[in-house]
């Protein structure tokens, strides 16, 4: 409770004070005195301030009060704060509150007030674009009020209100299902696609969307974005990518910053996935064109502050450049990599050019098992944005050539860099920290003189593959463990 009280913002504390002093919400003078007393010692309220002696003197004006009374007082105090939070949350959703008031007018037969509120709210609903679950739920409740009213007005109005409710219900259903499906697919597991495809609602969602595409385009941008995001994930079909790009270009002048941001994300996600499987010049130029959309949005919203996209207009994002090389090497396309570096080295930010060139060249040399030459290039990588990539590759090379002492020094340097750097995002920091942890366990495995090497390898492999968070080079670590198992266990 002390931690909670001290963490309250001054504004929240003042508003809570007004809430407590309202006779409608609180009739206990003891709670008012408790609040006033605690406010004098906020934000440094300690256990001493809430001791039985202090509460007895400052709240009850007694030398000693029973522990049970004090416990009940604090319990009622916290219950009031919970009511205060609910009250604040209710005040935020003004449209939903209007529907609740409308419902009250109808049930209490205040027909004149109801009709006035219905007309005003109907106009508001027609002008408002719903963008979240609460919006759609509120719209559905509003349509219910209309049905309940029009059933006693005229048959024509009643039929129209039923149709509106049915259409709103379909929209709500589609929105919820799309959110659920995309949430399921956020876990990178191919079986999740089968789960969605086998859901009976999946073809129904597609049918409703296709039958009402124009309506969704004009009134429900969130649904359009979620729909094409789902279709791209499920089918990996280029036509859905271009349909979403077309929608973005059509609507970008009227979409707010949040929706423009939400629209861009599945486009970039699709491109990153595409680069994993394709390595054509066409797909790379395509990625570059679409990257300009990111730059356009970057200028207009702070939401991209922590994104990995370069700020400067028209430059190829450094992480995409690196991913292109890595993915092409995984496909065995070394010549394509060399050609790609030569043609596109000038497309990255000038201050990154040298570091990008040296790191990507080192990647190719590492792929060819020319480790000494790779190290010579990695030493020349100086830019902070490429530092983590380069140091991790160095650590892999040191391990491959069994130079474990140098690996320990390099690991300590990387750990210090991650801890001190303010430029590394929280997500990248976490992925690097996990790599450091498991790489360190690998080092201990090969340098510790383990007697039970087989069980230690199996235990580390189990930990590695059951860690739910993504981190760098898990596949490489698995390959190392498998190799160690064959070499060291096989020799015994």
């Amino acid at each position: 409770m002390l931690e909670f009280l001290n963490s309250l913002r001054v504004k929240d504390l003042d508003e809570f004070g007004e809430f407590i002093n309202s006779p409608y919400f609180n009739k206990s003078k003891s709670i008012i005195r408790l609040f006033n007393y605690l406010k004098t010692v906020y934000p440094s309220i300690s256990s001493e301030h809430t001791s039985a002696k202090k509460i007895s003197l400052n709240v009850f004006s007694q030398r000693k009060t029973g522990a049970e009374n004090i416990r009940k007082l604090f319990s009622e105090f916290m219950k009031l704060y919970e009511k205060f939070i609910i009250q604040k949350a209710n005040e935020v959703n003004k449209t939903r509150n209007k529907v609740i008031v409308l419902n009250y007018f109808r049930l209490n037969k205040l027909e004149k007030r109801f009709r006035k509120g219905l007309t005003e709210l109907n106009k508001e609903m027609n002008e408002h674009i719903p963008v979240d679950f609460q919006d759609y739920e509120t719209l559905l409740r509003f349509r219910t009020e209309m049905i309940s009213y029009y059933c006693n007005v005229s048959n024509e109005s009643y039929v129209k209100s039923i149709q509106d409710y049915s259409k709103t219900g379909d929209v709500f259903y589609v929105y919820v299902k799309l959110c659920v499906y995309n949430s399921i697919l956020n876990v990178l597991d191919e079986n999740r696609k089968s789960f969605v495809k086998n859901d009976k609602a999946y073809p129904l969602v597609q049918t409703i969307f296709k039958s009402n595409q124009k309506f969704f385009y004009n009134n429900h941008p969130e649904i359009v974005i979620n729909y094409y995001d789902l279709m791209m994930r499920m089918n990996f079909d280029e036509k859905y990518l271009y349909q979403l790009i077309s929608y973005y270009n059509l609507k970008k002048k009227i979409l707010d910053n949040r929706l423009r941001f939400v629209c861009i994300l599945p486009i970039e996600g699709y491109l990153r996935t595409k680069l994993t499987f394709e390595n054509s010049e066409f797909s790379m130029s395509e990625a570059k064109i679409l990257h300009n959309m990111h730059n356009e949005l970057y200028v207009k919203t702070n939401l991209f502050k922590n994104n990995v996209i370069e700020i400067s207009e028209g430059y190829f994002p450094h992480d995409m450049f690196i991913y292109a090389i890595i993915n092409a090497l995984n496909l065995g396309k070394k010549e394509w990599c060399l050609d790609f570096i030569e043609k596109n080295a000038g497309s990255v930010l000038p201050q990154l050019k040298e570091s990008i060139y040296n790191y990507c060249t080192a990647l190719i040399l590492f792929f060819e098992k020319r480790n000494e030459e790779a190290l010579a290039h990695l030493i020349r990588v100086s830019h902070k944005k490429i530092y983590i990539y380069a140091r991790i590759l160095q650590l892999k090379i040191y391990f491959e050539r069994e130079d474990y002492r140098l690996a320990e020094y390099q690991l300590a340097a990387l750990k210090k860099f991650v801890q001190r750097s303010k430029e590394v995002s929280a997500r990248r920091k976490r992925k690097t920290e996990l790599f450091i942890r498991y790489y360190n366990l690998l080092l201990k495995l090969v340098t510790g003189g383990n007697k039970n090497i087989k069980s230690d390898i199996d235990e580390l492999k189990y930990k590695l593959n059951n860690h739910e968070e993504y981190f760098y080079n898990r596949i490489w670590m698995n390959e190392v463990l498998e190799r160690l198992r064959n070499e060291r266990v096989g020799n015994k």
Side-chain angles (χ1 to χ4, degrees):
M1 178 176 165
L2 296 180
E3 185 182 0
F4 150 74
L5 289 170
N6 288 323
S7 66
L8 284 177
R9 295 180 303 170
V10 175
K11 185 183 175 184
D12 288 338
L13 194 71
D14 290 340
E15 289 177 356
F16 184 39
E18 291 174 12
F19 182 85
I20 279 177
N21 279 281
S22 168
Y24 181 81
F25 296 110
N26 172 46
K27 293 181 173 60
S28 170
K29 291 182 180 179
S30 296
I31 286 180
I32 294 174
R33 287 196 295 269
L34 174 63
F35 174 80
N36 291 336
Y37 161 63
L38 291 174
K39 195 172 179 181
T40 62
V41 289
Y42 163 88
S44 303
I45 307 169
S46 66
S47 55
E48 183 185 346
H49 294 128
T50 56
S51 65
K53 182 180 177 181
K54 291 281 188 182
I55 297 300
S56 297
L57 289 171
N58 289 281
V59 177
F60 296 104
S61 301
Q62 297 173 4
R63 289 187 63 189
K64 190 173 183 182
T65 305
E68 184 63 19
N69 287 338
I70 293 174
R71 187 191 65 76
K72 284 182 180 178
L73 179 70
F74 278 118
S75 176
E76 289 302 316
F77 184 83
M78 292 306 296
K79 282 179 184 176
L80 268 175
Y81 188 75
E82 288 173 9
K83 287 181 182 178
F84 167 68
I85 293 171
I86 294 168
Q87 182 69 18
K88 281 197 73 173
N90 284 335
E91 287 172 2
V92 172
N93 198 328
K94 293 177 181 177
T95 307
R96 185 189 62 182
N97 292 341
K98 289 177 183 177
V99 175
I100 293 170
V101 171
L102 203 64
N103 175 259
Y104 175 84
F105 289 155
R106 182 177 60 79
L107 293 177
N108 288 278
K109 305 190 186 319
L110 300 169
E111 195 166 321
K112 193 178 284 187
R113 295 299 301 273
F114 178 84
R115 282 203 307 271
K116 185 176 184 294
L118 186 69
T119 303
E120 290 174 356
L121 198 49
N122 192 35
K123 184 182 177 184
E124 188 178 318
M125 287 292 192
N126 289 332
E127 292 174 354
H128 176 68
I129 295 176
V131 294
D132 59 22
F133 182 86
Q134 281 192 342
D135 274 354
Y136 284 109
E137 187 181 40
T138 300
L139 184 56
L140 205 58
R141 291 177 69 174
F142 173 67
R143 298 290 183 214
T144 304
E145 291 303 318
M146 293 190 78
I147 291 173
S148 302
Y149 173 70
Y150 284 123
C151 67
N152 298 317
V153 176
S154 72
N155 188 59
E156 187 181 340
S157 300
Y158 177 65
V159 170
K160 173 70 167 57
S161 64
I162 288 286
Q163 290 171 343
D164 287 343
Y165 180 86
S166 178
K167 193 165 191 176
T168 305
D170 284 347
V171 170
F172 182 58
Y173 178 77
V174 168
Y175 174 76
V176 172
K177 278 293 180 183
L178 287 172
C179 290
V180 170
Y181 290 151
N182 279 317
S183 178
I184 289 170
L185 295 180
N186 280 339
V187 179
L188 299 177
D189 179 354
E190 194 62 27
N191 294 327
R192 297 297 180 108
K193 284 188 180 180
S194 301
F195 182 85
V196 172
K197 276 185 179 175
N198 294 329
D199 184 27
K200 292 178 182 178
Y202 179 64
L204 181 60
V205 167
Q206 291 176 288
T207 301
I208 293 172
F209 184 85
K210 289 173 185 175
S211 304
N212 300 277
Q213 187 168 321
K214 187 176 178 181
F215 169 75
F216 284 120
Y217 267 52
N218 291 333
N219 302 287
H220 300 283
E222 192 94 11
I223 287 179
V224 175
I225 295 165
N226 267 289
Y227 179 79
Y228 286 127
D229 185 15
L230 177 67
M231 290 300 109
M232 285 191 291
R233 293 191 197 202
M234 291 295 294
N235 304 297
F236 203 64
D237 190 329
E238 208 100 314
K239 71 178 182 182
Y240 297 113
L241 170 71
Y242 287 110
Q243 282 173 332
L244 184 54
I245 293 169
S246 174
Y247 175 76
Y248 172 81
N249 288 328
L250 181 70
K251 297 287 184 179
K252 64 181 178 181
K253 290 183 180 177
I254 60 172
L255 295 177
D256 63 26
N257 279 341
R258 189 191 73 82
L259 282 172
R260 295 180 72 183
F261 178 74
V262 170
C263 192
I264 287 289
L265 289 179
I267 293 172
E268 187 193 11
Y270 183 92
L271 282 168
R272 287 184 185 278
T273 308
K274 185 177 180 182
L275 287 173
T276 305
F277 299 103
E278 296 184 17
N279 63 315
S280 66
E281 293 254 4
F282 175 72
S283 67
M284 298 313 300
S285 62
E286 197 175 44
K288 194 172 177 181
I289 291 167
L290 290 169
H291 169 61
N292 289 335
M293 294 167 67
H294 276 87
N295 288 326
E296 174 195 336
L297 192 59
Y298 190 100
V299 175
K300 296 177 180 174
T301 175
N302 288 329
L303 288 169
F304 272 74
K305 272 187 176 176
N306 298 319
N307 204 295
V308 293
I309 302 304
E310 319 296 3
I311 299 173
S312 304
E313 183 79 28
Y315 286 111
F316 204 98
H318 72 275
D319 57 333
M320 261 192 194
F321 195 104
I322 291 168
Y323 290 154
I325 298 298
I326 292 172
N327 293 324
L329 285 173
N330 287 336
L331 292 167
K333 306 289 186 181
K334 180 199 140 189
E335 293 304 320
W336 181 90
C337 290
L338 293 169
D339 188 52
F340 179 82
I341 292 171
E342 184 181 340
K343 287 182 178 178
N344 295 289
S347 298
V348 296
L349 285 168
Q351 61 266 38
L352 285 170
K353 184 176 178 180
E354 187 180 347
S355 290
I356 285 278
Y357 170 79
N358 280 299
Y359 175 69
C360 289
T361 304
L363 275 173
I364 297 168
L365 292 167
F366 176 72
F367 178 77
E368 294 181 312
K369 301 189 185 309
R370 293 158 63 186
N371 291 336
E372 297 304 318
E373 293 171 72
L375 283 172
H377 280 278
L378 288 172
I379 291 168
R380 298 184 195 130
V381 174
S382 58
H383 201 281
K384 288 182 179 179
K385 283 193 174 181
I386 318 297
Y387 182 88
I388 290 176
Y389 294 113
R391 299 300 79 85
I392 285 177
L393 184 55
Q394 264 184 279
L395 284 164
K396 287 167 68 174
I397 292 172
Y398 289 151
F399 196 94
E400 294 292 349
R401 68 179 197 179
E402 299 183 6
D403 201 337
Y404 303 130
R405 181 60 62 86
L406 269 176
E408 287 174 358
Y409 291 145
Q410 187 63 66
L411 196 67
L414 178 59
K415 187 175 181 179
K416 191 176 288 186
F417 173 81
V418 171
Q419 288 172 343
R420 293 180 177 180
S421 178
K422 294 180 181 178
E423 296 177 15
V424 180
S425 68
R427 186 167 175 268
R428 179 157 290 177
K429 188 174 284 190
R430 177 63 179 161
K431 289 192 290 186
T432 309
E433 286 171 347
L434 287 170
F435 169 81
I436 291 169
R437 180 200 298 179
Y438 283 103
Y439 186 92
N440 192 42
L441 290 172
L442 271 179
L443 281 179
K444 288 179 179 177
L445 192 69
V446 294
T447 59
N450 311 55
K451 292 182 180 179
N452 300 315
I453 186 74
K454 179 181 179 297
S455 61
D456 289 341
I457 290 172
D458 290 343
E459 184 182 347
L460 181 53
K461 197 164 187 178
Y462 177 83
K463 284 181 183 177
L464 192 71
N465 293 316
N466 283 276
H467 195 106
E468 292 183 357
E469 295 175 82
Y470 170 77
F471 57 92
Y472 299 121
N473 288 282
R474 194 199 303 239
I475 293 173
W476 172 76
M477 288 184 183
N478 264 307
E479 290 172 353
V480 168
L481 286 170
E482 197 58 39
R483 193 167 69 232
L484 285 171
R485 201 176 194 282
N486 292 335
E487 289 173 1
R488 305 204 176 189
V489 178
N491 291 336
K492 291 190 175 184

